[in-house]
Amino acid sequence: MQISAPAYRARITDYDGTTSVRTYTALEADALIVTALWDEDRVEVDSDRSGRLTLTRAITGHRSALDTERRTLHRTIHLEPVRRPRALTGRQYEDLALILARDDQSGARLADGRIRAGLVSVPPAAAARLLANGWLTAERDHTVTVSCAGRIAMALHEHQAETGVMGTDKWIVNAFGVGEWALGPSLYLVRCSCGHRDGRRYDDRAMAQRAARRHRLAHLRAALDLPPSGPA
Ligand SMILES: [Zn+2]
C-alpha cells in the first residue's frame, strides 16, 4: 500500500530568493498547510480547477545589526497536486465522502488493506488507489482521513461551475400586424453542478466567468476551513 506516495510537487522560493523543488506526501502536505494556518501565513487556493495551493510566510526585521531599515522577506511554497483533481471519479468521490463523514466520530480505519468507515468499507484496490493519489492520509495507528488534496478534489467535483448563454431575442408584432424577431444582446449566467444559480444576468462572458470562479473559490476555501477571501 502506497501510503508514502507523493501528493504534491512543491516549488519553494526561500527568503533569500533561492528556489528548490521537492515532493510532499499527503500527510506531510497536510502538516505543512495546518502549520501555515496556525501561524497565520497566507494560504491561497487557485480559483481554477488545478487544485494548486500557495503558502506564503513573511518575516519583517533588520538584516543585520548595522541595517537601519526593516525589510519584509517572503518564503513561498507552490504546491501542485501530483494527481489532477479532475481525475476523481464519481465512485471515488462517494468513497471519500464516506470517510469524511467518519471524521466527527471515531474516524475511518485501515484494516487488511480495506478502509472501514462505520458499517461500510472501501475495498482494498479502491483504498490503495485513493491513498496512491494523495487523497487520503493514513497515520501510524491506521486512522484514515481525507487529505487537503482529497478535500479540494471533492469540492471541485461538487462545484463544476460554468457559464451559460441566454438569448434575449423577442418576437415583435408591428402596427401592421407583421411579426418579426428583434435581436437582443446575449446575456450570460452562472450555473453550478451543486444547483447554485446566482440569479444575475451578465452582459459579457468574462464577468460571468469571474462570478463562476468566485463561487468555486468560496467552496474551495471552505473545504480547507480557510476564511473567505476578499473581492477577487
Ligand atoms: Zn457550486
Side-chain angles (χ1 to χ4, degrees):
M1 186 139 307
Q2 277 191 288
I3 290 172
S4 58
Y8 285 102
R9 268 186 292 270
R11 200 178 73 247
I12 303 160
T13 307
D14 225 318
Y15 300 113
D16 61 1
T18 56
T19 58
S20 56
V21 289
R22 59 159 294 179
T23 59
Y24 288 103
T25 65
L27 206 56
E28 289 167 341
D30 280 19
L32 197 69
I33 295 162
V34 167
T35 307
L37 290 172
W38 196 258
D39 292 344
E40 295 183 342
D41 293 346
R42 207 162 70 222
V43 179
E44 302 290 342
V45 194
D46 279 17
S47 62
D48 59 13
R49 299 188 62 202
S50 66
R52 278 192 289 260
L53 285 165
T54 306
L55 316 179
T56 309
R57 172 169 295 212
I59 49 166
T60 301
H62 302 278
R63 278 191 173 171
S64 69
L66 299 174
D67 196 351
T68 52
E69 205 180 317
R70 279 162 64 85
R71 294 162 204 269
T72 300
L73 301 173
H74 296 93
R75 178 176 190 256
T76 56
I77 305 177
H78 293 283
L79 295 170
E80 168 106 36
V82 169
R83 189 75 170 145
R84 292 194 317 153
R86 64 174 68 197
L88 181 77
T89 65
R91 183 58 206 265
Q92 288 174 321
Y93 171 83
E94 284 169 27
D95 285 344
L96 292 182
L98 285 175
I99 296 163
L100 194 62
R102 295 294 298 175
D103 262 10
D104 297 337
Q105 300 150 48
S106 52
R109 297 186 69 75
L110 199 58
D112 301 326
R114 231 166 232 288
I115 297 169
R116 299 196 183 279
L119 296 175
V120 289
S121 72
V122 178
R129 263 196 298 278
L130 293 174
L131 282 160
N133 288 350
W135 293 330
L136 293 175
T137 58
E139 308 212 31
R140 282 176 192 279
D141 67 354
H142 304 296
T143 305
V144 174
T145 45
V146 179
S147 66
C148 289
R151 281 187 274 155
I152 288 174
M154 287 179 80
L156 288 170
H157 185 85
E158 288 162 14
H159 300 283
Q160 295 174 38
E162 55 172 27
T163 57
V165 187
M166 199 181 82
T168 56
D169 298 352
K170 279 193 204 129
W171 182 251
I172 306 277
V173 178
N174 67 19
F176 304 102
V178 179
E180 62 171 353
W181 281 105
L183 300 180
S186 291
L187 292 177
Y188 298 89
L189 43 99
V190 176
R191 55 188 169 213
C192 180
S193 58
C194 70
H196 164 82
R197 304 279 183 273
D198 78 359
R200 288 180 60 187
R201 303 285 177 264
Y202 298 90
D203 293 334
D204 79 306
R205 189 184 288 274
M207 279 169 71
Q209 283 168 337
R210 273 200 296 279
R213 275 201 299 275
R214 269 200 304 277
H215 170 74
R216 189 165 46 222
L217 184 61
H219 288 280
L220 284 168
R221 294 183 67 86
L224 295 182
D225 296 326
L226 291 169
S229 59

